[in-house]
């Protein structure tokens, strides 16, 4: 019997399985992964080229070829860069203010049942209202267009950040609250040292949504009365039927948005290092 127990307790060597068989795609090279990442873009670029060449729409086509658009983009880079700086003077203050107030108020509301009873019913009504409906009123009320555009960006980014901050604070496990109470942490210390780090994954989700909304609302606001900016660039050349530059402005705006979202994602990865 003892011999049987000894045999049962013997360590069983793990079967040697090739990594490629255990996890298909693990051994794929970096080149194949890179091709997978850009495959959709290659297909879209080919479709764009085919449509521009084989579906002409007159002397001034609404869909210029990729080569013509690239030339227009290169020619417009100084103007686009100036428009980028103008747009960032609106985007950065509005998004930064929304991030600060959204996190502070969201953490405070998420950790207080009384504040939840007071503010959450209002948030459920005001949050879903499209911020674009405020644009004409903000332009009429505020003294300058830049202030009204900053306000619109702020409104669009605030609610996603606030709601995700509330959700992150509210999702904190009860045992952490009990431990903070036992340690005698003040309310401010509890929110700063316990709730805020625990709510960061939710907060970054809200910031990503808020940043995407900020770019959308920024370009929409610039269509109404801006003298410069990325949205104004697109609208200006659309009015003059200069479609190569209009398409170039759209692509450039998409690139700026992509870079901003990538930067935020890098900050999220470094901040949430414990989730790796």
């Amino acid at each position: 019997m003892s011999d049987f127990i000894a045999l049962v307790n013997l360590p069983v060597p793990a079967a040697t399985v090739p990594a490629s068989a255990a996890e298909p795609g693990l051994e794929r090279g970096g080149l194949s992964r890179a091709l997978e990442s850009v495959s959709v873009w290659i297909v879209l670029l080919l479709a764009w080229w085919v449509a521009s060449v084989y579906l002409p729409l007159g002397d001034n086509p609404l869909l210029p070829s990729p080569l013509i658009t690239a030339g227009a983009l290169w020619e417009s880079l100084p103007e686009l860069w100036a428009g980028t700086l103008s747009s960032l003077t609106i985007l950065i203050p509005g998004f930064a203010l929304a991030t600060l107030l959204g996190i502070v108020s969201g953490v405070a509301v998420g950790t207080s049942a009384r504040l939840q009873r007071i503010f959450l019913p209002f948030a459920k009504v005001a949050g879903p209202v499209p911020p674009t409906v405020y644009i004409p009123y903000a332009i009429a009320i505020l003294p300058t267009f830049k202030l009204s555009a900053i306000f619109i960006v702020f409104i669009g980014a605030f609610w996603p950040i606030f709601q995700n901050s509330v959700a992150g604070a509210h999702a904190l496990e009860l045992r952490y609250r009990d431990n903070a109470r036992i340690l005698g942490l003040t309310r401010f210390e509890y929110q700063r040292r316990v709730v805020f780090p625990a709510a960061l994954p939710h907060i970054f989700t809200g910031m990503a949504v808020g940043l995407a909304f900020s770019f959308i609302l920024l370009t929409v606001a610039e269509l109404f009365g801006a003298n410069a900016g990325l949205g104004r660039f697109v609208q200006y050349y659309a009015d003059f039927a200069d479609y190569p530059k209009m398409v170039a402005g759209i692509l450039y705006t998409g690139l700026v948005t992509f870079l901003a979202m990538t930067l935020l994602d890098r900050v999220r990865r470094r901040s949430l290092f414990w989730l790796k």
Side-chain angles (χ1 to χ4, degrees), residues 21-66:
E23 294 185 25
L26 191 62
E27 294 296 323
R28 291 182 181 178
L31 180 59
S32 63
R33 289 195 296 268
L35 289 176
E36 290 176 353
S37 301
V38 300
S39 59
V40 174
W41 298 103
I42 294 175
V43 171
L44 290 176
L45 183 62
L46 290 175
W48 178 11
W49 178 79
V50 170
S52 63
V53 172
Y54 294 100
L55 297 175
L57 299 175
D59 297 332
N60 187 23
L62 295 175
L63 187 64
S65 68

Side-chain angles (χ1 to χ4, degrees), residues 1-264:
M1 185 67 178
S2 59
D3 294 338
F4 175 75
I5 295 175
L7 288 173
V8 171
N9 291 331
L10 284 176
V12 179
T16 304
V17 181
S20 58
E23 294 185 25
L26 191 62
E27 294 296 323
R28 291 182 181 178
L31 180 59
S32 63
R33 289 195 296 268
L35 289 176
E36 290 176 353
S37 301
V38 300
S39 59
V40 174
W41 298 103
I42 294 175
V43 171
L44 290 176
L45 183 62
L46 290 175
W48 178 11
W49 178 79
V50 170
S52 63
V53 172
Y54 294 100
L55 297 175
L57 299 175
D59 297 332
N60 187 23
L62 295 175
L63 187 64
S65 68
L67 186 60
I68 294 176
T69 304
L73 177 61
W74 177 259
E75 180 184 349
S76 304
L77 279 180
E79 188 177 359
L80 286 169
W81 175 246
T84 303
L85 297 179
S86 177
S87 294
L88 290 180
T89 60
I90 297 173
L91 178 76
I92 293 177
F95 182 73
L97 185 61
T99 300
L100 177 62
L101 296 183
I103 293 175
V104 172
S105 60
V107 170
V109 171
T111 55
S112 172
R114 183 180 181 184
L115 292 179
Q116 290 176 27
R117 291 193 299 269
I118 294 173
F119 289 103
L120 289 188
F122 170 75
K124 290 179 180 179
V125 175
V129 176
T132 52
V133 302
Y134 300 117
I135 293 177
Y137 194 66
I139 293 176
I141 294 297
L142 295 175
T144 63
F145 168 79
K146 180 163 289 188
L147 285 177
S148 62
I150 291 174
F151 171 75
I152 295 302
V153 170
F154 165 78
I155 290 294
F158 173 78
W159 288 116
I161 298 173
F162 170 79
Q163 292 170 348
N164 279 273
S165 299
V166 171
H170 190 68
L172 184 67
E173 295 182 17
L174 184 60
R175 59 191 177 95
Y176 293 113
R177 305 176 192 177
D178 295 337
N179 291 337
R181 190 179 299 110
I182 293 173
L183 293 173
L185 297 180
T186 64
R187 182 175 182 83
F188 177 73
E189 290 176 336
Y190 168 64
Q191 292 178 349
R192 181 172 64 89
R193 296 185 177 184
V194 180
V195 180
F196 176 69
L200 269 179
H202 289 78
I203 290 173
F204 273 107
T205 299
M207 290 176 64
V209 176
L211 183 59
F213 280 166
S214 296
F215 272 100
I216 294 172
L217 294 169
L218 170 67
T219 53
V220 171
E222 288 176 340
L223 297 179
F224 278 80
N227 295 322
L230 297 177
R232 174 58 182 168
F233 179 92
V234 174
Q235 183 63 48
Y236 178 81
Y237 286 106
D239 292 340
F240 286 92
D242 192 340
Y243 298 116
K245 288 189 176 181
M246 184 195 75
V247 176
I250 294 173
L251 296 177
Y252 181 87
T253 302
L255 176 62
V256 172
T257 305
F258 169 76
L259 293 177
M261 298 294 291
T262 302
L263 177 61
L264 179 61

